[in-house]
């Protein structure tokens, strides 16, 4: 049933909770885990010019190297924890609109399950569900497991 599991991460604490669920399910099913970080170019285009955003979309970070490093640090967490459990982990960093690229990645890589947090870096104060999760739920046809940020203090 679950052979390819996608865990989109923005490096937040809630995403890290989702990672644990993804790894546990992957272990049970012998699935490959895909860790995806999307550099959000919409939020960057406010401070950067169109040309620089275009270059980043093509993978040329230039002076924005620390953006790429932050992205890789987030996917590395998945890779390290996964490999500790003997799982196969594929890391991927891309740039664009997060929910659109999550949906595209799922479609292009035969993803059977997406595991993500209810919230991300903005946190739970503002909305019931983060916008990336809400948009992903609306657009993808792949099953999505949403790990609730508020569950943190429960178990
Ligand atoms: P908002 O972004 O709407 O202000 P938020 O940051 O609290 O609110 P989301 O961004 O929707 O909430 O984050 C929810 C989940 O979506 C995260 O736990 C993570 O799994 C995933 N996610 C969010 N942003 C990204 C991203 N840039 N790349 C990959 N996954 C992401
Ligand atoms: Mn967010």
């Amino acid at each position: 049933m679950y052979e390819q599991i996608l865990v989109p991460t923005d490096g937040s604490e809630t995403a890290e909770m989702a990672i644990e669920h993804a790894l546990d399910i992957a272990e049970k099913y012998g699935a490959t885990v895909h860790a995806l970080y999307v550099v959000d170019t919409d939020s960057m285009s406010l401070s950067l010019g169109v040309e620089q955003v275009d270059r980043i979309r093509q993978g040329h970070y230039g002076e924005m190297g620390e953006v790429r490093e932050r992205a890789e640090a987030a996917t590395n967490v998945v890779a390290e924890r996964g490999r500790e459990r003997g799982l196969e982990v594929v890391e991927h960093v891309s740039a664009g609109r997060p929910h659109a690229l999550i949906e595209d990645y799922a479609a292009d890589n035969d993803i059977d399950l997406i595991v993500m947090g209810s919230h991300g870096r903005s946190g739970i104060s503002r909305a019931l569900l983060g916008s990336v999760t809400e948009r992903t739920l609306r657009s993808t046809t792949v099953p999505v497991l949403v790990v609730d940020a508020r569950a943190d203090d429960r178990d």
Side-chain angles (χ1 to χ4, degrees):
M1 188 75 163
Y2 302 129
E3 289 174 13
Q4 307 293 334
I5 299 175
L6 174 61
V7 53
T9 176
D10 60 354
S12 64
E13 263 179 49
T14 310
E16 291 207 5
M17 289 166 60
I19 290 166
E20 293 305 317
H21 286 256
L23 295 178
D24 202 69
I25 295 166
E27 219 172 356
K28 301 240 157 49
Y29 282 88
T32 299
V33 176
H34 299 250
L36 171 67
Y37 183 109
V38 181
V39 174
D40 187 347
T41 50
D42 278 354
S43 64
M44 295 176 95
S45 57
L46 299 170
S47 51
L48 302 176
V50 187
E51 281 176 22
Q52 195 167 1
V53 167
D54 255 359
R55 280 199 293 273
I56 287 172
R57 258 197 214 110
Q58 289 157 21
H60 305 299
Y61 285 79
E63 285 164 18
M64 303 298 289
E66 88 271 11
V67 171
R68 168 115 209 166
E69 278 163 26
R70 209 179 312 138
E72 284 171 357
T75 64
N76 280 341
V77 169
V78 183
E80 277 163 24
R81 292 193 193 162
R83 282 170 198 148
E84 274 170 21
R85 302 187 191 211
L87 293 168
E88 198 176 315
V89 181
V90 178
E91 292 178 73
H92 193 73
V93 173
S94 60
R97 305 196 76 195
H99 74 94
L101 293 186
I102 290 166
E103 186 194 350
D104 288 351
Y105 190 95
D108 293 345
N109 294 278
D110 291 328
I111 297 298
D112 311 295
L113 176 69
I114 301 172
V115 183
M116 62 198 300
S118 61
H119 296 83
R121 280 206 297 261
S122 303
I124 57 173
S125 58
R126 219 169 43 87
L128 194 60
L129 215 52
S131 62
V132 175
T133 297
E134 187 181 339
R135 289 176 180 147
T136 301
L137 287 170
R138 285 183 196 281
S139 58
T140 190
T141 58
V142 174
V144 182
L145 173 62
V146 179
V147 177
D148 198 309
R150 295 168 303 177
D152 202 9
D153 44 6
R154 233 179 276 154
D155 48 26

